[in-house]
């Protein structure tokens, strides 16, 4: 009798449970996080092929300097020689926020990063869903300035800019 009750229970309620080994549906924000992790890993490994493949062909990289706004092709022209020498850069994410559009075709994010040379940095940007997966449309790297230091730092930047 117990066997029959167990069989009836499993038959009636098994669609409500996920069994070990069943593939879970991919969550869009998880997929975006994986792309960003792959992006940072490729940069650290000086893997230009992977790094640039994660950009949409019309993507843009915005660096920390006011003059650093590159198309993917321009940025590849700048960075690939470093990658070819085995020189990459390491930015380790310490926190990340991802938002997905209601149609699940666009994502935007901001992340805090740690770099041994520069300390805390921030990356932000957008991704678009393509036939081949999520691709970066824009990545923007910045140095967040503590409010207490902002006036001093911005005065230095202003003086530097005026002396050019």
């Amino acid at each position: 009798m117990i066997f029959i009750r167990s069989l009836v229970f499993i038959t009636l309620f098994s669609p409500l449970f996920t069994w070990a080994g069943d593939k879970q549906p991919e969550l869009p924000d998880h997929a975006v996080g994986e792309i960003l992790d792959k992006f940072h890993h490729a940069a650290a490994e000086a893997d230009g092929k992977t790094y640039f493949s994660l950009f949409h062909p019309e993507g843009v990289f915005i660096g920390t300097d006011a003059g650093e706004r590159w198309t993917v092709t321009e940025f590849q022209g700048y960075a690939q020689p470093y990658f070819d020498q085995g020189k990459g850069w390491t930015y380790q994410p310490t926190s990340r926020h991802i938002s997905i559009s209601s149609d699940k075709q666009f994502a935007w994010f901001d992340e805090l990063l740690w770099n041994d040379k520069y300390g805390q940095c921030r990356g932000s940007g957008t991704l678009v869903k393509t036939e081949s997966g999520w691709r970066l449309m824009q990545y923007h790297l910045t140095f967040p300035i503590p409010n207490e230091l902002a006036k001093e730092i911005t005065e230095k930047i202003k003086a530097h800019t005026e002396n050019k």
Side-chain angles (χ1 to χ4, degrees), residues 6-20:
S6 297
L7 187 58
V8 169
F9 178 83
I10 290 170
T11 303
L12 291 175
F13 293 103
S14 64
L16 302 176
F17 298 100
T18 301
W19 299 96

Side-chain angles (χ1 to χ4, degrees), residues 22-61:
D22 285 353
K23 186 173 182 190
Q24 296 293 315
E26 187 177 296
L27 299 174
D29 61 340
H30 181 71
V32 170
E34 285 182 355
I35 291 295
L36 294 171
D37 289 343
K38 191 174 181 180
F39 177 73
H40 292 304
H41 181 75
E45 296 293 316
D47 178 359
K49 182 178 180 181
T50 299
Y51 185 83
F52 291 107
S53 75
L54 298 172
F55 277 97
H56 187 276
E58 297 175 27
V60 174
F61 182 92

